[in-house]
Amino acid sequence: MTREEDIKKAVEVLRKGGVILYPTDTVWGIGCDATNAEAVAKVYQIKQRDDSKAMICLVDSAMRMQRYVRNVPNVAWDLVELATKPTTLILDDAVNLAPNLIAEDGSVALRVTAEPFSKELCYRFQKALVSTSANISGQPAASNYKDISEELLNAVDYVCWSRRQEHKPHTPSCIIKLNKDGEVTVIRK
């Protein structure tokens, strides 16, 4: 299967409200349409995770962040441009997303991916994509395809073919919270 065919199939599943397993700029992820509350609920169920714990969303460009955050702070643009490793930003005033994806304080965790597969997937889907680590809550994240449990492989609607052969270390993203008042808090380095 070519990368293009893989992305096309994944997008078809996402548009129907399905859940996918896919490679990201960090670890393998469980993903769905970030605007579809039913799909987001499925991801929480698959991960056996409390829905009060927020999940990260991936987008293909810094400009797309504006669709999901009412007022993107100026420092966010700089962080996206200057980041040397995958960096997730927690931003206030989330909009146009599934309500069960927005944290109680109204914030959302967004990451602009530069990794070719996930970037193209987000671009072709034209929406934010949930990107939570491919594991049951509390278990280690799946760095590579080989690390994903059978339980997860069987729980999703589609498992992407791209990058399945990789066997190299991947780490979760850095997480930085940016408040409206300009306060910056590093949550995970």
Side-chain angles (χ1 to χ4, degrees), residues 112-161:
V112 177
T113 179
E115 183 275 325
F117 183 85
S118 55
K119 184 177 183 77
E120 181 77 8
L121 178 60
C122 289
Y123 175 75
R124 295 283 174 213
F125 187 51
Q126 291 288 297
K127 291 183 188 179
L129 192 61
V130 165
S131 182
T132 184
S133 57
N135 62 325
I136 302 298
S137 196
Q139 295 180 0
S143 285
N144 296 288
Y145 172 77
K146 68 176 180 53
D147 303 321
I148 302 170
S149 71
E150 279 296 316
E151 183 179 0
L152 281 185
L153 292 169
N154 294 325
V156 299
D157 301 299
Y158 182 70
V159 181
C160 291
W161 289 91

Side-chain angles (χ1 to χ4, degrees), residues 9-26:
K9 178 64 178 166
V11 167
E12 285 174 17
V13 171
L14 293 166
R15 286 194 176 133
K16 292 177 183 171
V19 176
I20 65 170
L21 279 170
Y22 67 107
T24 76
D25 53 340
T26 60

